[in-house]
Amino acid sequence: MTGAREAVADPDATELLALYEQMAVVRHTEQAAHDLFLSGLVKGTTHLAAGQEAVAVGASAALREDDYVFATYRGHHHALARGATPEECLAELMSRASGLCGAKGGSMHLTKASAHMLGSYAIVGAHLPMAVGAAWSARLRGTGQIAVAFFGDGATNIGAFHEALNLAAVWTLPVLFVCENNLYMEYTPIADVTAVASPAADRAPAYGIPGEVVDGNDVVAVRGAVTRLAGRARAGDGPGLLEARTYRHFGHSRADPAAYRPAEEVERWLKHDPLDVARGRLTGLGVPAGEVDAADGRAADLVRAAVEAAKDAPAPDPGQALTDVWADGGARWRT
Amino acid sequence: MTGAREAVADPDATELLALYEQMAVVRHTEQAAHDLFLSGLVKGTTHLAAGQEAVAVGASAALREDDYVFATYRGHHHALARGATPEECLAELMSRASGLCGAKGGSMHLTKASAHMLGSYAIVGAHLPMAVGAAWSARLRGTGQIAVAFFGDGATNIGAFHEALNLAAVWTLPVLFVCENNLYMEYTPIADVTAVASPAADRAPAYGIPGEVVDGNDVVAVRGAVTRLAGRARAGDGPGLLEARTYRHFGHSRADPAAYRPAEEVERWLKHDPLDVARGRLTGLGVPAGEVDAADGRAADLVRAAVEAAKDAPAPDPGQALTDVWADGGARWRT
Amino acid sequence: MADVTTYRQAVAEGLAREMRRDPAVVCLGEDIGAAGGVFKTTAGLYEEFGPRRVWDTPISEQAIVGAAMGAAMTGMRPVAEIMFADFLACCWDYLANEIPKVRYMTGGQVTVPLVVRTANGGGLGFGAQHSQAAENWALTVPGLKIAAPATPADVTGMMAAAVRSDDPVVFFEHKALFAAKGPPAPPGHVVELGEAAVVREGDDVTLVALAATVPVALAAAERLAGEGIGCEVIDLRCLVPLDAMTVLGSLAKTSRLVTVEENPYQGGWGGTLVSIVADEGFGLLDAPVRRVAAACVPLPFADALEREVVPTADKVVTTVRDLSTY
Amino acid sequence: MADVTTYRQAVAEGLAREMRRDPAVVCLGEDIGAAGGVFKTTAGLYEEFGPRRVWDTPISEQAIVGAAMGAAMTGMRPVAEIMFADFLACCWDYLANEIPKVRYMTGGQVTVPLVVRTANGGGLGFGAQHSQAAENWALTVPGLKIAAPATPADVTGMMAAAVRSDDPVVFFEHKALFAAKGPPAPPGHVVELGEAAVVREGDDVTLVALAATVPVALAAAERLAGEGIGCEVIDLRCLVPLDAMTVLGSLAKTSRLVTVEENPYQGGWGGTLVSIVADEGFGLLDAPVRRVAAACVPLPFADALEREVVPTADKVVTTVRDLSTY
Ligand SMILES: Cc1ncc(C[n+]2csc(CCOP(=O)(O)OP(=O)(O)O)c2C)c(N)n1
Ligand SMILES: Cc1ncc(C[n+]2csc(CCOP(=O)(O)OP(=O)(O)O)c2C)c(N)n1
Ligand SMILES: [Mg+2]
Ligand SMILES: [Mg+2]
C-alpha cells in the first residue's frame, strides 16, 4: 500500500545542522519545562516530547510554511518546530501573560495560529477530523496547502481516528496522519491494547491509504518520508499515513517515573537518541564535533534566556478570564 | 485472514423448509408493516428488512438459543428470527399495549430479552460495543454463550465500529460482527462514502479479525458461515466478522420509493430473492413445490391473524408513560 | 415570492441565500446532496450549487463536525447537518470540548464560524432515540450560540444570522414544525441572534416558549383569553444569547411566569431562565413560577404515551389557570 | 482501620469492598490495572482481584462504556472509569441515548446496573479540556442517577450504593478533593443515593453545595458566622435522585437560598433546583435566590484566571452578605 517512493534528496550539512539545532532547542526546552515543573513554577501537568524531537523537526522541514499543523497535549515540539519561541512556550507553561495563549491554554494547548500551527488538543484523537477539515478547506480554496495531524499510538484506537481516515480517503484530501508511536499509551504498552502490531500503519489499508513506518528518531528519514507523502497529497493523490517509531525520555506526564518500562528497553532507546542519530549523520557529512557542540550551546543559551524572560514576565490580568469566548472578544451570553 | 473453514453440513430438507417458512414469516410481516404504515395504522417510521431475511434466519439457525443478539432499527427480521411473534411485533408498530415493548419502543426498538434478543438500536453503530460487552460477560460468567451484532454497511464508517472491533480482538471475545451490506446507507451508495470495496470485510484485518464475505441472500451459506465463526468464537479463538451481501426490497424507510437505485440493479437483486434461492435449494433436495407453497401459506395465515389480533389489541394505558425508567418500575427522580 | 412557505422550505431557502451571498459557505452531512436530506431541508442546494458546495458524508458524525471545525478555522463557513439532534451525542466532544473552547484556550487566536444544523424534538413518533429535544444539552456548554426558530420567516432570518456569525451556532430545526406554514422571509431578512419576540401581548401571565412550544403556548393563550386570562407569549428564539431582559420586562407587567419547554424538567433551559428571574426579577413576582416541561423520562413511541410526557396546550391551560388564582 | 483516610483512597476502598462482596463486580478503564489509575483511585485492586476483575482498555471511551452496558445487561455489575469527566463527551451517546433509555424503550425488559466513574472538576490547573465540572451534562438526561460525594466516608458509602443500584449511576469524583482527608467509612457503610446531608446548621441563609463546593460553602459559612450570619449548608450529594425536600425544609427556616455550583451558570444544576424552589417554595422565600456558579466561559489554565471564574468562599461571602440585607 506504499505510495511510489521517489528518492528525496537528503539534507546537506548546513541544513542538517540547522535541524539538529532545532531539535536541541526542543530538548533544552523540555528539560527546562521538567525542571520548572519540579520546582513548582509550572502548574497543572506537562507531557514532554524529549526523545521525539526528530518527528516534529523532520516533518516540519518537509512542509511549506503555510501548511497546517494540529498536535496533541504532547505538543511542545510541534509548536517549537512551527516557529513558536521557547520563551512564549515556557511563559505559557508558567502562567504568564506573555504565554502563547495568554496563560489561558497551558502546556496541553500550545497554539501558534499565525504560523498555521492550529493547536494542541487534549482529547485523544479529536484533532484528526479537524486536520481533515483544514485539508478540505485548502482544497476548496485552491491554496495548495496540506494539513498534518500528529498523534500518538494510543490515539489509533479511538473512533475519531477511524472516521477521520475514512473521510480523508473518500474525499481524497491533502492531509497527512503522522503517528508518533512511542510504544505506550500512558502507562500501558500499546501492544496490550491494540489488535495489530503497527497500530497506525497496519490500519492504513482499511482506508485505502498508503501507510509507511519510519525510524522516528532519524530526522533525515522522517523528513524524507514526509516530503514524499506531502508531495503526493499536494498533487491531489490523497491522504498519507506515517508511523514514526520513537520513544519518550521522560514519563507520560508530570512526575511519572515510568517504572513500567523495562530498563533494557529504556537503555536501548536512549542509545538511539534522535540528537545522537543526527550527530552521527553530521559526522558522516564531515561536520566537526565542535560545530555541533556550538549548535547545542546556542540552543541551551536560547532556552536559558527564555526561562529568565518568562520568569520575569507578569501574570495575566484577571480580567482576561472573561475575554475571548466570542468573536467580539467578550463573554456575554445574555441580556 | 479467514479462519479455518471446516466443512459445515448443509441443512436437510426438513430443516431448510423450516428456515424457508421462517423467512416467509418475515416477508409477510414486513409486507404487512408496509401496508399498515401506508394505511396510517403504523406511525412514525419503519425500516423494513424484506429481502434481507436470509441473514437473520440463517445466522439464527447457527446460534444457540441463549446466544445474545443485538440489532438495528432495521431489526424486525432479527426479532422474529429470535422468537418474537409477528403479533407482538406488529402490535408494537401499531402502538398497542400488547406490543413487544408495550408500545414504548416502536419499530426501531424491537426487543425480546427473554429470548436473549437484547434490542434494536437506532443510533448507527451504538450496539457494537454492547455486543462486545455481552460477550465479555459471557466469558466472565463462563457460560459458553456468544454475542452477535448485526449492522449495516453504513455503520462501518462510525467510530463505535472501530472501537468495538479492536476491543473484541484485544480481549479475544466470543462476539460476531455480521454486516448486512445492502449497498446503501439511506439514499447514498455505500461505495461513495467508504474507502474500501467491502466496507466490513476489508477492515477486519485492521483488527486481526478473520473476515468473510458471504451471499447474504442464501440462507444456507449464511448458516454455514455463522456456524464456523460461532464455533471459533465459542472455542475461545476470538471474534469473527461476516459481511453478508444482500439487498432491501423496499426503500430505506417509510414511503421512500428508492428512486436513487438503478432499475437494472433492483431487477438483478429481485431475481436473487432469498426466498427464491431457498426454494431453488429445496427443489434440489426433492421437496415438492406444493410443500413450499404450503409453508408460505402457513406464514401468510400466521401474519394475517397477527394483523387482526394486533388491530384488536388495546392502546397502552397512558399511565405507562411514567413507568420503567428505574429498576423499581417508576420514574421518580426527586423528593 | 410565494406568500406562504413551509418551515422545511425556509431552511433550504435560508441556506441558499447565504450560499449565493458568500462562496465560503459549504454544506456537509449525510444524504444532504442529491437526496436533499432526509427531511428535504437541503432540497435544491445540490442542484443549484453542485458537489463542490454540498457534500455527502459517510455516517461519521465526529468527522462531519470535526471537519467542519477544521474548515471553519481556515477560512470557510461550513454548515454541518447532524440528521437528528439525538446524534449530537455521537460528536458531543466537538460540541462540548473543541468548538466552544478553542478560541478561548488559544487566547483568541482562532475563530470558528460554523453552523451545526439538526432536526430536534418529538411529535412524529420516532421513539426514544430520534425524538429528544436536546437544546438543553447545548446550554450546558459556554461558547455555543443556540438558535431554535419557530416560524418559517425566523428560520430563514436566523439562518442568515447564524451563517454570518463568527461564533459557532447550533441551529435546532424542529421536526414537528417542518410542515408548518407561514409567510416567507422578505429578501435580505436577518434576525439577529439573541432577540426574543413577543408573539402575543397580555397582562396577566407571561408564557415563555421556544420552537415547537411556541404554537403550544399560543394555543393555550387563545383558550385562556376566552376565560379572561391575558397571556403574554414570548418566543425566546435563542437560548444563547439569552434575552432575559425581554422576559423580565414582560414580568414587570404580568408578575407571573410559566415556561413551556419540550426538554425534560431536569436540566431544562427553563431552570436557567427561572433562576435569573428568581434573582433579578424576584421583586416582580406575585406568584410561584411554573415550568411546563417534558416529564423526566425518555420519549415513548405511542402517541397516547407521548402526550402524557410532553407539554400540551391542555397542560399549559391548567397550569396557568391554577396559577392565576394564586 | 486508620482513623483518617483520603478521598482518593476512599474510592479504591469503596470499589474493593464491593468487589469482595459481589463477584459480579468488574472494573474496566484506561490504565486502571497495574498502574492503579492516573489518580491512583484504583490502587491495589489489580493486586487483590487480578486481571479477571480489573481490565485495562484501549483509549476507546465508546467501547468502554458500551461494553460496560452490554455486560450490565447480561448479569455483570461493571464499573467503568472514564478518566476525566470531559471525556464523557467521547462516549456521550451511551450516557445520553443508550444506557438511560434502554429499560424504558424496551418496556422494562432489561436492567443496566452499572457505574461510570469519572474525575470531575477544576482546581488542578489542567486547562479547558481536563477541568470542567460536567455534572450538569448528566442532569439533562432522564434515566441516570448522579452521585458526587464530598467526603471520603461518603465516597465509600455512596460507591456501595452505586454499585448495588440496579440503575445506572454516573459517579463524579472530584479531582480537587482527591487529597482531602477525613474519617474513613465504617465497615458496611452505605449512603443511599438521593439523600442530601445538612453539614452545618444555621437560621439565616441556606447554602446548597455539591462535591468540591461543599468545603467552599463551609468556609464561607464559617466566615459569615463571625459576622453574625448563620448559614445552613446542605451537601446535595446526588443530583438524581434530587433531594429537593431537604432544601425546601431548610428554607422553611431560613427563607433565603444561595446555590454554590462549579458548573457554569448556564444550564447548571442550580437552575433546576431554583426552579423547584421558585415554584414549590415560593411562599417561603423572603429574598431573591442567588446562584454562585462558574462563569459562562471555558476553564482557563492560569490560577489567577481560574479564580475569577469558579466559585470561591469570597464570592459566596459577598453574595450572602449582600442577600442578608435584602
Ligand atoms: C479521549 C481521551 N481519553 C483518554 C485521555 C487520557 N490520556 C491522555 S494521554 C493518553 C495516552 C495517549 O497515548 P498516545 O496516543 O500513545 O500518546 P502519547 O501520550 O504516547 O504521546 C491518555 C489515555 C484523553 N486525553 N482523551
Ligand atoms: C449515528 C447515526 N447517524 C445517522 C443516523 C441516520 N441513519 C439511520 S439509518 C442510516 C443509514 C444506515 O445505513 P446502513 O448501516 O447501511 O444500514 P441499512 O439502513 O442499510 O440497513 C442513517 C444514516 C443514525 N440513525 N445514527
Ligand atoms: Mg504513545
Ligand atoms: Mg445499508
Side-chain angles (χ1 to χ4, degrees):
Chain A
M1 294 302 304
T2 307
R5 301 205 179 201
E6 320 91 49
V8 173
D10 279 351
D12 62 18
T14 312
E15 193 192 341
L16 186 54
L17 191 60
L19 297 182
Y20 178 92
E21 187 166 335
Q22 278 186 51
M23 293 199 292
V25 168
V26 175
R27 178 67 54 89
H28 287 290
T29 304
E30 295 299 61
Q31 187 64 53
H34 182 255
D35 297 346
L36 289 164
F37 184 87
L38 291 185
S39 67
L41 282 168
V42 168
K43 65 154 202 162
T45 185
T46 54
H47 301 80
L48 304 176
Q52 306 186 189
E53 295 88 349
V55 184
V57 170
S60 213
L63 298 179
R64 265 174 33 183
E65 271 195 6
D66 63 347
D67 287 336
Y68 297 114
V69 162
F70 293 81
T72 75
Y73 53 88
R74 193 183 309 286
H76 301 176
H77 51 333
H78 297 296
L80 291 164
R82 297 309 280 169
T85 65
E87 181 182 334
E88 51 195 5
C89 292
L90 291 169
E92 183 69 23
L93 271 61
M94 293 162 75
S95 300
R96 307 300 182 195
S98 56
L100 261 182
C101 307
K104 273 186 172 120
S107 164
M108 299 208 278
H109 301 302
L110 297 187
T111 302
K112 179 123 184 168
S114 60
H116 299 89
M117 194 283 177
L118 288 184
S120 305
Y121 296 85
I123 310 283
V124 165
H127 59 306
L128 274 65
M130 295 177 210
V132 171
W136 178 47
S137 158
R139 193 175 123 189
L140 288 168
R141 290 178 293 111
T143 59
Q145 293 162 290
I146 71 169
V148 187
F150 295 94
F151 54 95
D153 43 284
T156 63
N157 292 325
I158 201 156
F161 170 87
H162 180 71
E163 297 192 7
L165 269 70
N166 184 60
L167 188 66
V170 170
W171 288 3
T172 329
L173 296 177
V175 55
L176 304 190
F177 301 101
V178 180
C179 176
E180 298 178 65
N181 182 352
N182 61 11
L183 312 190
Y184 290 86
M185 61 160 269
E186 300 206 337
Y187 321 133
T188 301
I190 191 66
D192 290 359
V193 288
T194 313
V196 288
S198 292
D202 286 348
R203 263 97 176 239
Y207 313 99
I209 294 180
E212 292 184 28
V213 176
V214 74
D215 177 355
N217 282 11
D218 180 354
V219 71
V220 173
V222 172
R223 176 182 163 286
V226 174
T227 302
R228 272 195 312 275
L229 292 173
R232 272 189 83 253
R234 225 183 290 281
D237 294 337
L241 181 146
L242 185 68
E243 179 170 330
R245 292 181 69 92
T246 182
Y247 206 71
R248 55 173 155 73
H249 287 185
F250 291 108
H252 168 68
S253 66
R254 294 182 283 174
D256 165 29
Y260 44 86
R261 301 197 302 195
E264 172 278 321
E265 177 187 286
V266 177
E267 200 184 326
R268 180 157 37 88
W269 279 95
L270 287 181
K271 283 203 189 116
H272 191 57
D273 183 314
L275 287 162
D276 293 343
V277 173
R279 186 181 275 268
R281 282 187 175 271
L282 285 165
T283 308
L285 290 174
V287 179
E291 279 193 36
V292 185
D293 292 341
D296 200 79
R298 285 192 298 274
D301 289 346
L302 180 73
V303 172
R304 207 172 301 114
V307 169
E308 292 315 313
K311 276 186 185 164
D312 290 347
D317 177 327
Q320 288 297 314
L322 299 178
T323 63
D324 292 333
V325 175
W326 306 116
D328 69 7
R332 215 177 75 116
W333 65 281
R334 50 159 292 210
T335 60
Chain B
M1 296 300 303
T2 306
R5 301 203 179 203
E6 320 90 48
V8 173
D10 279 352
D12 63 18
T14 312
E15 193 193 339
L16 186 55
L17 191 60
L19 299 181
Y20 177 91
E21 188 167 333
Q22 278 188 52
M23 292 199 292
V25 168
V26 175
R27 177 67 54 89
H28 288 289
T29 304
E30 295 300 61
Q31 186 63 53
H34 183 253
D35 298 346
L36 289 164
F37 184 86
L38 291 184
S39 67
L41 282 167
V42 168
K43 65 153 202 162
T45 186
T46 54
H47 300 79
L48 304 176
Q52 304 186 191
E53 295 88 349
V55 184
V57 170
S60 213
L63 299 180
R64 266 172 33 181
E65 272 195 6
D66 64 347
D67 287 337
Y68 297 114
V69 163
F70 293 80
T72 74
Y73 53 88
R74 193 183 309 286
H76 302 177
H77 53 331
H78 296 296
L80 291 164
R82 296 311 280 170
T85 65
E87 182 182 334
E88 53 195 6
C89 292
L90 290 170
E92 182 69 23
L93 271 62
M94 292 162 76
S95 299
R96 307 301 180 193
S98 56
L100 263 181
C101 307
K104 273 185 171 125
S107 165
M108 298 207 281
H109 301 302
L110 297 187
T111 302
K112 178 122 185 169
S114 61
H116 299 89
M117 194 282 175
L118 288 185
S120 304
Y121 297 84
I123 310 282
V124 165
H127 60 305
L128 274 66
M130 296 177 210
V132 171
W136 178 48
S137 157
R139 192 174 123 190
L140 288 168
R141 290 176 294 111
T143 60
Q145 294 161 289
I146 71 168
V148 187
F150 296 94
F151 54 95
D153 43 284
T156 63
N157 292 326
I158 200 155
F161 169 89
H162 180 72
E163 297 191 8
L165 269 72
N166 183 60
L167 188 66
V170 170
W171 287 3
T172 330
L173 296 177
V175 55
L176 304 189
F177 301 100
V178 180
C179 177
E180 298 179 66
N181 182 354
N182 61 11
L183 313 189
Y184 290 85
M185 60 161 269
E186 299 205 338
Y187 321 132
T188 301
I190 190 67
D192 290 0
V193 288
T194 313
V196 288
S198 292
D202 286 350
R203 263 96 177 241
Y207 314 99
I209 294 180
E212 292 185 27
V213 177
V214 74
D215 177 355
N217 283 12
D218 181 353
V219 71
V220 173
V222 172
R223 177 181 162 284
V226 174
T227 303
R228 272 196 312 275
L229 293 173
R232 273 187 82 253
R234 226 184 288 282
D237 294 337
L241 181 146
L242 185 67
E243 179 169 330
R245 292 181 69 93
T246 183
Y247 205 70
R248 55 173 154 75
H249 287 183
F250 293 108
H252 168 68
S253 67
R254 294 184 283 173
D256 165 28
Y260 45 85
R261 302 198 299 196
E264 171 279 320
E265 178 187 283
V266 177
E267 201 184 326
R268 180 157 36 88
W269 278 95
L270 287 182
K271 283 203 189 115
H272 191 56
D273 184 315
L275 287 161
D276 294 342
V277 173
R279 187 181 275 268
R281 283 188 175 269
L282 285 165
T283 307
L285 290 175
V287 179
E291 277 194 36
V292 185
D293 291 342
D296 199 81
R298 285 192 299 275
D301 290 346
L302 179 74
V303 172
R304 208 172 300 117
V307 169
E308 293 315 312
K311 276 186 185 164
D312 290 347
D317 179 326
Q320 288 296 315
L322 298 178
T323 63
D324 292 333
V325 174
W326 306 117
D328 69 8
R332 216 176 74 115
W333 66 281
R334 51 161 290 214
T335 59
Chain C
M1 199 161 57
D3 54 351
V4 68
T5 189
T6 62
Y7 188 103
R8 181 192 319 279
Q9 286 168 326
V11 174
E13 173 67 16
L15 291 168
R17 289 185 186 184
E18 290 308 300
M19 293 178 78
R20 281 176 209 132
R21 199 186 49 78
D22 184 352
V25 181
V26 285
C27 296
L28 75 166
E30 296 160 19
D31 301 297
I32 67 164
V38 293
F39 293 109
K40 300 292 174 239
T41 44
T42 54
L45 299 184
Y46 185 83
E47 289 71 16
E48 180 173 352
F49 301 101
R52 268 186 64 88
R53 304 284 298 280
V54 185
W55 293 68
D56 273 333
T57 68
I59 308 176
S60 303
E61 277 74 12
Q62 296 188 76
I64 293 169
V65 178
M69 179 179 171
M73 291 165 77
T74 55
M76 303 302 294
R77 289 194 172 262
V79 179
E81 175 175 305
I82 294 298
M83 201 183 280
F84 285 73
D86 315 68
F87 312 163
L88 291 174
C90 299
C91 51
W92 193 239
D93 179 44
Y94 293 92
L95 277 303
N97 291 326
E98 316 295 342
I99 290 168
K101 295 189 166 58
V102 68
R103 159 176 281 278
Y104 188 85
M105 75 193 194
T106 63
Q109 291 186 61
V110 296
T111 300
V112 192
L114 60 77
V115 179
V116 177
R117 301 171 39 241
T118 192
N120 193 42
L124 299 191
F126 287 163
Q129 295 185 324
H130 280 67
S131 304
Q132 288 167 94
E135 65 273 6
N136 59 330
W137 300 1
L139 186 60
T140 61
V141 183
L144 298 174
K145 295 200 165 161
I146 306 173
T151 68
D154 276 357
V155 165
T156 303
M158 288 166 71
M159 187 69 78
V163 172
R164 296 175 198 189
S165 168
D166 285 335
D167 295 311
V169 180
V170 190
F171 199 93
F172 289 96
E173 299 162 7
H174 203 288
K175 285 194 283 292
L177 296 177
F178 279 138
K181 296 201 168 81
H189 190 52
V190 179
V191 177
E192 291 308 336
L193 303 181
E195 295 180 3
V198 178
V199 291
R200 178 184 178 116
E201 300 202 353
D203 291 329
D204 300 323
V205 179
T206 300
L207 302 183
V208 180
L210 185 76
T213 69
V214 174
V216 172
L218 286 170
E222 188 62 32
R223 280 164 55 187
L224 288 158
E227 302 179 15
I229 303 173
C231 293
E232 180 135 311
V233 180
I234 295 175
D235 175 359
L236 271 186
R237 301 205 283 202
C238 285
L239 292 182
V240 175
L242 181 70
D243 188 358
M245 283 307 142
T246 294
V247 176
L248 290 165
S250 176
L251 283 174
K253 185 166 61 167
T254 64
S255 303
R256 283 173 162 74
L257 174 65
V258 174
T259 66
V260 191
E261 305 165 52
E262 192 176 332
N263 57 204
Y265 188 101
Q266 63 175 81
W269 56 259
T272 297
L273 182 69
V274 169
S275 69
I276 292 173
V277 167
D279 181 350
E280 301 168 29
F282 183 74
L284 305 172
L285 291 174
D286 277 350
V289 174
R290 295 267 148 82
R291 294 175 57 203
V292 180
C296 293
V297 303
L299 263 281
F301 165 65
D303 284 337
L305 301 177
E306 198 186 36
R307 262 194 306 275
E308 290 296 302
V309 161
V310 298
T312 57
D314 276 351
K315 292 181 199 172
V316 176
V317 167
T318 311
T319 304
V320 171
R321 205 186 274 145
D322 181 54
L323 195 66
S324 64
T325 65
Y326 183 88
Chain D
M1 200 162 56
D3 54 350
V4 68
T5 188
T6 62
Y7 188 101
R8 182 192 318 279
Q9 286 166 325
V11 175
E13 173 66 15
L15 291 168
R17 289 186 187 185
E18 291 308 301
M19 292 178 80
R20 280 175 211 135
R21 198 186 50 78
D22 183 352
V25 181
V26 286
C27 296
L28 75 167
E30 295 159 19
D31 301 296
I32 67 162
V38 293
F39 293 109
K40 300 289 173 240
T41 44
T42 55
L45 299 185
Y46 185 84
E47 289 70 17
E48 179 172 351
F49 302 101
R52 268 186 63 88
R53 303 284 300 279
V54 185
W55 293 68
D56 273 333
T57 68
I59 308 177
S60 303
E61 277 74 11
Q62 296 188 75
I64 293 169
V65 178
M69 178 179 172
M73 292 165 76
T74 55
M76 304 301 295
R77 289 194 173 264
V79 179
E81 176 175 304
I82 295 297
M83 200 183 282
F84 285 73
D86 315 68
F87 312 162
L88 292 174
C90 299
C91 51
W92 193 241
D93 180 44
Y94 292 92
L95 278 301
N97 291 326
E98 317 295 342
I99 290 167
K101 294 188 166 59
V102 69
R103 158 176 283 276
Y104 188 84
M105 75 192 195
T106 63
Q109 291 184 62
V110 296
T111 299
V112 192
L114 60 76
V115 178
V116 177
R117 300 171 41 239
T118 192
N120 194 42
L124 298 192
F126 287 163
Q129 297 187 322
H130 281 65
S131 304
Q132 288 167 93
E135 64 274 4
N136 58 332
W137 300 0
L139 185 62
T140 62
V141 183
L144 298 173
K145 295 200 165 161
I146 306 172
T151 68
D154 276 357
V155 165
T156 303
M158 289 167 70
M159 187 69 79
V163 172
R164 295 175 199 191
S165 168
D166 285 335
D167 295 311
V169 180
V170 190
F171 200 94
F172 288 96
E173 299 161 7
H174 203 289
K175 285 194 284 290
L177 295 177
F178 280 138
K181 296 202 170 81
H189 190 54
V190 179
V191 177
E192 291 306 336
L193 304 181
E195 295 180 3
V198 178
V199 292
R200 179 184 177 113
E201 300 203 353
D203 291 329
D204 300 323
V205 179
T206 300
L207 302 182
V208 180
L210 185 76
T213 69
V214 174
V216 172
L218 285 171
E222 188 63 31
R223 279 164 55 187
L224 287 157
E227 302 179 16
I229 302 174
C231 293
E232 180 135 311
V233 180
I234 296 176
D235 175 359
L236 272 187
R237 301 205 282 202
C238 285
L239 293 181
V240 176
L242 180 69
D243 189 358
M245 284 306 142
T246 294
V247 176
L248 290 165
S250 175
L251 284 174
K253 184 166 61 168
T254 64
S255 303
R256 283 174 162 73
L257 174 64
V258 173
T259 65
V260 191
E261 306 164 53
E262 191 175 331
N263 58 203
Y265 188 99
Q266 63 174 82
W269 58 259
T272 296
L273 183 69
V274 169
S275 69
I276 292 173
V277 167
D279 180 349
E280 300 167 28
F282 182 74
L284 305 173
L285 290 174
D286 278 351
V289 174
R290 295 267 148 82
R291 293 176 56 205
V292 179
C296 293
V297 303
L299 263 281
F301 165 66
D303 284 338
L305 300 177
E306 198 186 37
R307 262 196 305 276
E308 290 296 301
V309 160
V310 298
T312 57
D314 277 351
K315 292 181 199 174
V316 176
V317 166
T318 311
T319 303
V320 171
R321 204 186 276 146
D322 181 54
L323 194 67
S324 65
T325 66
Y326 183 87

